[in-house]
Amino acid sequence: MSTIKIVNLRKEFKGNVAIEQLNFEFASSQVTCLLGPSGCGKTTLLRMIAGLETPTSGDIYFGDERVTDLSPRRRNIGMVFQYPVVYRGISVYRNIELPLLSEKLPAAERKRRISNVIEMLGLQDSAHKDITQLDNAARQKVAVARAVARQPKIILFDEPITNVDTSSKLVLKRALKELTQQLKQTIVYVTHDQTEAMTLADRIVLMKDGDIVQCDAPRSLYLQPEDTFGGWFLGNPGMDFFAAQCDARIDTGHVRLRSPFLAEPILLEGPAHAGELTVGIRPEHVKVSHTPSPRAVAARLVDKSITVGGQYLLTVEVQGERLKAKVEHQTGKSADETVWIELPIERLMVFDAAGERIHHPLAAIANGSERRVD
Ligand code: ATP
C-alpha cells in the first residue's frame, strides 16, 4: 500500500524535546505498534504522521510523496482515537456511510464497503441501531469501521482500547486482531500496553524518551532485547538483571564472566570490558530445583506468589542479590529454605555499562573445559 518514511523528524514543545531526531520507515501493509511508557512521544509521533502536529524539523513521506506540509485531510489517512468519534442520533450504518458520501462514491460501492466492514467487525446485529444504544466497545468498533470503509492507504490508531470497559477490552482486541490481519493498509498503532502490542503487531517500535530503542517482531523483541530497557519494559515481571565481573581477556581470545548466580564462569567473544557487565535472563528461563546439581547454585527462597497466568513467581537470593523465577509448578519449599537455581547459558544476555546488549555467551567453563552453546 504505502510506506511511511520519517527523516530527521524532531518535535519540541517550548524547548522540551518530545521526539528526538528520528529516522525510520514503517513497512507497507504491516501493523507497526508504537510501544513505550507514558510520555515517551508515541502520540506526538503519530500526530505528526497524521498532520495534526507540525514537526519542529524533518520530513514525512508516504511512499515517495513528501507530505510534511499537507493538511490532515489531504494526507488521506484513517484515524481512530482513544474516544470513539461517532455521530449520536443516527444509526451505525449511517455513521459509517457519512464519510463515504463526502467522497461521492456510487451507491452500490458504498453499500458494498459498508456491508463488508460491518461483517469484518461483527456489527451485523447493531447495523440499524442508534449509536447511543451501543456500549463503548461497540462504538469504538463503529469508529474503526468509519476509518476503514474509506479505504485510505494508511490507518492510524491512538490507544483505541484504553478507554473501553475492562470487560469489553478483550472483545475489541480480538476484533481488531481479526480486522488488521485482513486489511492491506499500512497501520500504525499506539499503545502503552505490551500485551496489546504483542497481540496485534507485525513489528513493534519500542520507544523511550522520544527515541526509538528497538524495532522488531514481537517475539524477537521479547527474546532478544538490544537494550536493558527492552528487557525491563517487556514481560511481567521484566527481565532479571545481575552484575557479573569481567576478567581481563584470556589467552583463547575470550572474556570470562563470573557471578554468584553462575555455577560456572561463562565465556564471551570480543574485546575485554573492564570491570562489571550486566547479565539478563527472563524469569521463566530460570530453572529451580530442590536438589543440588553441578550447574546450579544454592539460593535462599525469599518469597513465592501466584501470577495472573497461574504460574508461580519465586524470589530467590544469592549472597544478598535477588532474582525472580517464574515456574509452572508450586514449590514445596517455604521461605528461607534452600533451592538450587540454574541459569541456562543459551538464555543469558550480556549488556554493557550503557545498557546495550553486547552478545550472547559462547560457552560455560566446567572443570577447565568449555561447554559450548549449541
Ligand atoms: P501517553 O501514553 O501518556 O500519551 P506518549 O508516549 O504518547 O504518552 P506524548 O503524549 O507524545 O507521549 O508526549 C511526549 C512528551 O511531549 C511529553 O513530555 C509530553 O508532556 C509532551 N507534550 C505532548 N504534547 C504536548 C503539548 N501539546 N504541549 C506541551 N508538551 C507536550
Side-chain angles (χ1 to χ4, degrees), residues 50 71-77 102 150:
S71 68
R73 177 172 275 271
R74 293 193 46 214
R75 291 189 192 198
N76 187 25
I77 48 163
S102 59
R150 280 183 39 240

Side-chain angles (χ1 to χ4, degrees), residues 96-112:
I96 304 170
E97 189 176 36
L98 277 179
L100 304 183
L101 288 173
S102 59
E103 300 216 342
K104 301 194 169 51
L105 286 175
E109 174 62 10
R110 279 204 309 272
K111 191 164 177 224
R112 193 189 64 76

Side-chain angles (χ1 to χ4, degrees), residues 240 242 260-264 281-299 316 318 323-327 339-348 364 371:
D240 285 312
F242 57 89
F261 288 112
L262 300 169
E264 307 158 329
I281 186 166
R282 293 269 172 215
E284 61 272 31
H285 295 151
V286 176
K287 291 185 182 166
V288 181
S289 156
H290 290 178
T291 48
S293 68
R295 290 178 200 165
V297 296
V316 295
V318 178
L323 276 191
K324 293 210 182 297
K326 207 187 250 184
V327 295
V339 291
W340 279 264
I341 56 164
E342 183 190 336
L343 313 187
I345 45 174
E346 66 277 12
R347 296 296 195 178
L348 297 176
R371 184 165 49 77

Side-chain angles (χ1 to χ4, degrees), residues 13 17-18 36-45 53 82 159 190 192:
F13 291 103
V17 180
S38 184
C40 71
K42 308 175 294 288
T43 299
T44 303
L45 178 55
E53 204 73 75
Q82 278 192 20
E159 307 227 19
V190 164
H192 62 268

Side-chain angles (χ1 to χ4, degrees), residues 47-54 62 67-79 81 150 156:
R47 286 173 59 82
M48 285 197 281
I49 295 170
L52 297 168
E53 204 73 75
T54 309
F62 292 170
V67 299
T68 321
D69 304 320
L70 291 188
S71 68
R73 177 172 275 271
R74 293 193 46 214
R75 291 189 192 198
N76 187 25
I77 48 163
M79 187 137 183
F81 298 89
R150 280 183 39 240
L156 308 177

